[in-house]
Amino acid sequence: MEGASYGAGMAGGSFEPLEFLMRLQTVLRIVCWVFSIVVFASIVNEGYVNINNTKLQCIFYTEDACNYGIAVGIMAFFACVFFFILDMYFPQISSVKDRKKAVLLDLACSGFLAFLWFVSFCFLTNQWQRTKSKQVILDKGDAARAAIAFSFFSIISWVVLTLKVLQQYRQGTDMSLFASDHLDAGPGNGYQGYSTGSAVASTETYQSPPFTETLSTGQEGYQVPTY
């Protein structure tokens, strides 16, 4: 793309909704958004049971498992919404430095959330294996398995999204090197002088100034007057 920077064209171009939705990065972000909803919705709706008419108890071994799954799901949900809006506004950013900051922020958040989902998958799996085999808890097993499964799917989707953003960052880094062509004529490379052309007279074709010859002949025939 001519004049592109960090995967987007020059600022001020028209926004194409269909083209934007067909981008791989947009599709991955929507997939991550859906997976986050499945995880925290499964835990919120089906992740607690009432045992012996007491307070609600998490179906996992500890309450921390439910809290962690909900927290990561909500974080991923709002991150997807934020960066989805940023992707829509990204082509309108005219500053290359601001584009670089936005891509680096997206890269850091995507990698961090991929790590959080990995921890979530390991943590929920371990806590579900340690859960006591009570019938009232086992009846909610589908919610626990859904949270674990989509935590694993979220790892894959966020890792792929991180790699896509990394590719976008590398594109911006490579394409910004176009400025090196303009820096070749810098102070360190020396200054090129003007070449001698037809418009500059050389020393070989130099002619003596006018009246020189007449002046010299006049001096040869001059005699000093005698008194």
Side-chain angles (χ1 to χ4, degrees):
M1 184 181 298
E2 184 178 358
S5 176
Y6 292 100
M10 299 179 62
S14 59
F15 177 73
E16 299 293 339
L18 183 59
E19 181 181 354
F20 172 76
L21 293 175
M22 294 298 293
R23 292 175 57 210
L24 176 60
Q25 189 168 339
T26 305
V27 174
L28 288 172
R29 213 174 293 282
I30 294 175
V31 170
C32 293
W33 179 71
V34 173
F35 287 172
S36 66
I37 294 176
V38 173
V39 173
F40 79 79
S42 298
I43 299 176
V44 169
N45 294 330
E46 302 290 337
Y48 293 90
V49 294
N50 190 347
I51 301 177
N52 299 328
N53 295 324
T54 58
K55 66 177 183 179
L56 294 177
Q57 180 180 345
C58 178
I59 60 176
F60 293 94
Y61 185 72
T62 59
E63 294 285 338
D64 294 336
C66 289
N67 295 334
Y68 184 85
I70 294 174
V72 176
I74 293 177
M75 287 175 58
F77 175 85
F78 284 108
C80 291
V81 173
F82 173 78
F83 286 108
F84 184 86
I85 298 174
L86 182 61
D87 288 343
M88 296 176 62
Y89 178 72
F90 189 81
Q92 306 302 323
I93 301 176
S94 58
S95 174
V96 178
K97 292 183 179 180
D98 292 340
R99 286 189 177 189
K100 182 178 180 180
K101 292 178 182 178
V103 174
L104 287 176
L105 179 62
D106 191 2
L107 181 62
C109 290
S110 299
F112 181 65
L113 283 169
F115 171 75
L116 291 181
W117 281 119
F118 174 75
V119 176
S120 176
F121 170 73
C122 297
F123 187 39
L124 294 180
T125 302
N126 176 264
Q127 295 298 303
W128 178 245
Q129 291 176 348
R130 299 175 60 184
T131 301
K132 297 179 181 179
S133 300
K134 292 184 178 181
Q135 187 62 36
V136 66
I137 295 179
L138 295 178
D139 291 341
K140 302 290 186 178
D142 292 339
R145 285 186 286 270
I148 294 172
F150 281 91
S151 293
F152 176 77
F153 297 152
S154 295
I155 298 173
I156 300 175
S157 60
W158 281 100
V159 168
V160 175
L161 181 59
T162 303
L163 295 177
K164 185 66 178 67
V165 178
L166 180 60
Q167 181 184 6
Q168 181 183 4
Y169 174 74
R170 288 179 175 177
Q171 287 177 353
T173 304
D174 294 338
M175 298 184 68
S176 63
L177 294 178
F178 75 94
S180 62
D181 296 334
H182 302 281
L183 298 177
D184 290 340
N189 297 327
Y191 177 79
Q192 297 180 354
Y194 292 101
S195 60
T196 57
S198 60
V200 181
S202 63
T203 56
E204 295 178 356
T205 59
Y206 177 77
Q207 297 179 356
S208 59
F211 306 109
T212 305
E213 296 179 356
T214 57
L215 215 75
S216 60
T217 56
Q219 290 178 354
E220 292 177 357
Y222 178 73
Q223 297 180 358
V224 180
T226 57
Y227 296 98

